[in-house]
């Protein structure tokens, strides 16, 4: 086997591992499913390149085959370009910190019983740091009660922040939502009920910030971002999943 093929196979196996690892952490979503599928296709194409290339040459001898091949190449290029465009937007949104203190909004995430999951804990750590740096700022914690959760995500977050020294009167709860759209829609109501400005800083994972900003804009909120740290080995899975979520947000809503 040529050396360059060995290198390609090693790289493709590493890519496959990146998307398989979250499965062992019981994380299965569109991101790692798509990543695994693409990795396997690349591996098969590399292993059986001669047959694959011969097949393409064969079908391109027919007009219909040429049309299908050109269309497939177009879709792949379009999808790659769209993913690159979204990635740039996601990076920019993740680094859009406010210049002046504004109300913090912590987006919900899974709670294990009554305790925040690791991902939610990291969001709360970022929120706690921001609130201590800005003692006059209020915070809206968001999220209802889901499967396997003994209390609402909002209540679990409020308890965590109070344990870290944040005064309870600074923490407002939005405890009905089940997704990001509802997080921000119901948060707007909380802001209005408490006489707060529509200027907010969303505290969540960096990969999530761009979609949150799009949803906030639809709700008439002026949003900024503070991004918490995400486990490095989980970033690719969640990043790719976000491409699908953003496509849905842009074109199906």
């Amino acid at each position: 086997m040529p050396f360059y093929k060995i290198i390609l196979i090693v790289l493709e196996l590493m890519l496959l591992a990146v998307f398989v690892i979250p499965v062992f952490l019981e994380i299965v979503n569109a991101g790692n499913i798509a990543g695994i599928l693409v990795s396997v296709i690349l591996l098969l194409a590399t292993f059986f390149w001669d047959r694959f290339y011969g097949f393409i040459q064969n079908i391109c001898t027919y007009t219909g085959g040429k049309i299908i091949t050109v269309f497939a190449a177009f879709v792949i290029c379009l999808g790659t370009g769209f993913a690159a465009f979204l990635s740039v937007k996601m990076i920019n949104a993740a680094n859009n910190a406010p210049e002046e203190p504004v109300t913090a909004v912590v987006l919900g995430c899974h709670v294990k019983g009554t305790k925040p999951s690791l991902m939610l804990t990291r969001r709360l750590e970022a929120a706690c740091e921001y609130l201590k740096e800005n003692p006059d700022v209020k915070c809206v914690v968001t999220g209802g009660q889901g499967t396997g959760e003994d209390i609402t995500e909002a209540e679990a977050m409020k308890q965590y922040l109070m344990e870290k020294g944040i005064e309870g009167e600074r923490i407002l709860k939005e405890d009905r939502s089940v997704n990001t759209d509802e997080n921000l829609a119901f948060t707007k109501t909380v802001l209005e009920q408490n006489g707060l400005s529509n200027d907010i800083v969303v505290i969540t994972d960096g990969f999530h910030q761009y979609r949150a900003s799009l949803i906030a804009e639809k709700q008439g909120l002026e949003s900024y971002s503070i991004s918490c740290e995400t486990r490095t080995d989980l970033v690719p899975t969640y990043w790719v999943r976000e491409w699908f979520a953003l496509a849905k947000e842009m074109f199906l809503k």
Side-chain angles (χ1 to χ4, degrees), residues 181-199:
D181 292 80
E182 292 185 358
N183 284 160
L184 292 166
F186 297 159
T187 289
K188 185 176 182 182
T189 301
V190 173
L191 295 174
E192 292 171 348
Q193 291 172 342
N194 289 273
L196 297 172
S197 166
N198 283 338
D199 291 351

Side-chain angles (χ1 to χ4, degrees), residues 72-205:
F74 173 76
V75 170
I76 292 171
C77 290
L78 183 64
T80 302
F82 184 58
F85 167 78
L86 291 180
S87 294
V88 171
K89 288 289 190 179
M90 289 164 68
I91 292 170
N92 289 338
N95 295 281
N96 183 32
E99 294 182 1
E100 299 293 334
V102 293
T103 303
V105 177
V106 188
L107 297 188
C109 190
H110 186 60
V111 169
K112 297 180 179 180
T114 61
K115 300 298 181 182
S117 61
L118 175 60
M119 184 172 283
L120 183 54
T121 297
R122 289 185 172 178
R123 295 181 187 183
L124 290 168
E125 288 172 348
C128 191
E129 182 179 351
Y130 179 76
L131 292 170
K132 287 182 176 180
E133 290 175 352
N134 301 282
D136 295 327
V137 164
K138 290 188 180 295
C139 173
V140 181
V141 289
T142 70
Q145 184 173 348
T147 304
E149 298 176 336
D150 295 335
I151 58 176
T152 65
E153 294 169 7
E155 179 60 27
M157 286 191 270
K158 182 171 183 176
Q159 291 179 10
Y160 179 96
L161 290 174
M162 290 176 65
E163 289 171 1
K164 297 298 181 180
I166 305 300
E167 300 87 343
E169 58 269 21
R170 296 176 63 193
I171 307 168
L172 307 173
K173 291 194 299 181
E174 178 289 293
D175 56 7
R176 297 181 294 142
S177 59
V178 298
N179 54 44
T180 305
D181 292 80
E182 292 185 358
N183 284 160
L184 292 166
F186 297 159
T187 289
K188 185 176 182 182
T189 301
V190 173
L191 295 174
E192 292 171 348
Q193 291 172 342
N194 289 273
L196 297 172
S197 166
N198 283 338
D199 291 351
I200 61 172
V201 56
V202 176
I203 300 177
T204 186
D205 293 81

Side-chain angles (χ1 to χ4, degrees), residues 209-229:
Q209 290 286 7
Y210 181 48
R211 180 157 56 98
S213 72
L214 295 179
I215 296 169
E217 184 178 2
K218 289 180 180 180
Q219 295 297 332
L221 301 171
E222 180 70 30
S223 69
Y224 301 91
S225 64
I226 289 179
S227 300
C228 67
E229 182 183 356

Side-chain angles (χ1 to χ4, degrees), residues 15-36:
L15 181 65
L16 178 61
V18 164
F19 291 104
V20 168
I21 287 172
V23 176
F24 294 99
L25 300 173
E26 298 183 354
I27 298 171
V28 179
N29 56 44
N32 54 349
I33 291 172
I36 290 169

